[in-house]
Amino acid sequence: MPHIWVEYSTNLEADIDVPVLLKTVQDALIGDGTIFPFAGARTRGVPVERYLIVDGHPDNAFVHVLLRIAKGRSQEDKTVAASRVFEAAKALLAPVAASRPLGLSVQMEEADEALNFKSSNYRDYLKRRSGAETVVA
């Protein structure tokens, strides 16, 4: 962990570079890697084709970022990290927000430890590729 979902209305695809948005969000959350490990990051772009935003006007658009993390971080660390993601996404999307109706939201959730099963060999591959586990995006 963390796992990141970036949902966006498909009417934004002509106005945003989705891979840049994903990298911006992931880099903002991971930061220097002291709170969240880079090797744990899983970031997904989720285009949403069917949506109803406010009055249903076709210009209305949204980006919603869901940050799912494991328990164990302080409230301060969580607030700082989520705020960092919000500010980074807001800055990236500012030109879009200046030209059309746009809603941006960032939400952080903690996964239930008892119901969180996982397996990964990403750290092994990161070590092989770079010689170090502490790779930061």
Side-chain angles (χ1 to χ4, degrees):
M1 296 210 131
H3 288 221
I4 304 165
W5 287 263
V6 180
E7 297 179 340
Y8 58 92
S9 54
T10 53
N11 63 349
L12 283 174
E13 289 180 332
D15 297 330
I16 63 172
D17 184 333
V18 174
V20 170
L21 176 59
L22 300 181
K23 183 161 178 28
T24 298
V25 167
Q26 180 173 295
D27 287 354
L29 182 62
I30 300 303
D32 65 3
T34 58
I35 299 172
F36 299 104
F38 175 67
R42 316 282 191 275
T43 304
R44 308 145 175 95
V46 183
V48 179
E49 288 185 30
R50 292 186 166 89
Y51 49 84
L52 177 64
I53 305 168
V54 189
D55 63 355
H57 192 283
D59 289 346
N60 296 346
F62 76 90
V63 172
H64 175 68
V65 180
L66 174 60
L67 311 167
R68 184 160 300 136
I69 63 168
K71 291 189 181 210
R73 277 74 179 193
S74 70
Q75 185 63 41
E76 180 181 359
D77 284 346
K78 292 184 289 189
T79 300
V80 166
S83 296
R84 197 170 53 224
V85 169
F86 181 75
E87 292 303 326
K90 186 176 175 183
L92 181 70
L93 296 169
V96 178
S99 66
R100 68 181 307 159
L102 176 66
L104 169 64
S105 55
V106 173
Q107 175 183 352
M108 183 176 279
E109 297 177 349
E110 288 184 323
D112 183 328
E113 293 175 7
L115 300 173
N116 188 11
F117 308 94
K118 55 192 167 197
S119 173
S120 163
N121 62 357
Y122 294 128
R123 284 182 173 82
D124 297 335
Y125 279 88
L126 283 172
K127 285 179 188 176
R128 288 183 212 159
R129 291 179 191 144
S130 69
E133 182 177 336
T134 57
V135 176
V136 177

